[in-house]
């Protein structure tokens, strides 16, 4: 599992592994990054479905309750194919933009 930390945001990715293994590794490493905003880069998965993205729902809900952002990045699944509780964007830049907007909202108490 690879962590790329910039400020209060950590991008998580790993290559050449199944989604099931990725999620298991993520859960095992979560304590290291639980205080950061998280971008989960899923570009290394050649095929990804809305069902696969739903595997992150509990992790996302847990992380967001601690007032931190949790953004999935993939261009293989459209954002309207997943529930509103999951933030899914097609690019890393959009993920960073979402986190920046959520940080501003948290600072303003929105």
């Amino acid at each position: 599992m690879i962590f790329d930390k910039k400020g209060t945001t950590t991008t998580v990715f790993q290559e050449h592994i199944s989604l099931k293994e990725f999620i298991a590794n993520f859960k095992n490493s979560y304590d290291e990054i639980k205080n950061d905003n998280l971008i989960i880069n899923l570009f290394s998965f050649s095929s990804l479905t809305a069902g696969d993205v739903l595997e992150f729902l509990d992790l996302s809900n847990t992380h967001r309750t601690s007032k931190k952002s949790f953004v999935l990045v993939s261009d293989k699944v459209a954002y309207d194919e997943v529930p509103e509780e999951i933030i899914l964007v097609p690019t890393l830049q959009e993920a960073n933009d979402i986190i920046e907007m959520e940080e501003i909202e948290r600072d303003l108490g929105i």
Side-chain angles (χ1 to χ4, degrees), residues 1-40:
M1 183 138 296
I2 301 166
F3 301 125
D4 181 18
K5 183 174 172 84
K6 292 181 182 155
T8 60
T9 301
T10 298
T11 302
V12 180
F13 59 98
Q14 186 160 347
E15 297 185 17
H16 311 296
I17 194 168
S18 72
L19 184 65
K20 186 176 181 176
E21 290 174 290
F22 178 83
I23 292 171
N25 289 345
F26 180 82
K27 287 178 179 179
N28 289 335
S29 302
Y30 183 71
D31 283 343
E32 296 175 43
I33 55 174
K34 68 182 178 183
N35 296 319
D36 293 342
N37 296 308
L38 298 177
I39 297 173
I40 312 302

Side-chain angles (χ1 to χ4, degrees), residues 34-49:
K34 68 182 178 183
N35 296 319
D36 293 342
N37 296 308
L38 298 177
I39 297 173
I40 312 302
N41 182 340
L42 302 174
F43 282 129
S44 64
F45 299 101
S46 57
S47 64
L48 203 62
T49 66

Side-chain angles (χ1 to χ4, degrees), residues 29-100:
S29 302
Y30 183 71
D31 283 343
E32 296 175 43
I33 55 174
K34 68 182 178 183
N35 296 319
D36 293 342
N37 296 308
L38 298 177
I39 297 173
I40 312 302
N41 182 340
L42 302 174
F43 282 129
S44 64
F45 299 101
S46 57
S47 64
L48 203 62
T49 66
D52 293 334
V53 171
L54 284 175
E55 295 290 325
F56 291 93
L57 182 60
D58 289 339
L59 295 166
S60 174
N61 288 339
T62 299
H63 196 70
R64 293 172 60 86
T65 58
S66 67
K67 305 239 187 270
K68 296 293 180 185
S69 299
F70 189 95
V71 183
L72 299 173
V73 181
S74 175
D75 57 359
K76 308 236 178 354
V77 178
Y79 73 91
D80 58 352
E81 294 180 46
V82 297
E84 288 182 21
E85 294 90 359
I86 294 179
I87 298 175
L88 175 69
V89 296
T91 68
L92 290 170
Q93 182 58 51
E94 287 179 77
N96 283 301
D97 291 346
I98 292 282
I99 289 174
E100 187 175 324

Side-chain angles (χ1 to χ4, degrees), residues 37 69 96-110:
N37 296 308
S69 299
N96 283 301
D97 291 346
I98 292 282
I99 289 174
E100 187 175 324
M101 289 188 318
E102 287 184 347
E103 284 282 312
I104 291 168
E105 289 174 355
R106 285 190 283 270
D107 288 347
L108 295 173
I110 298 175

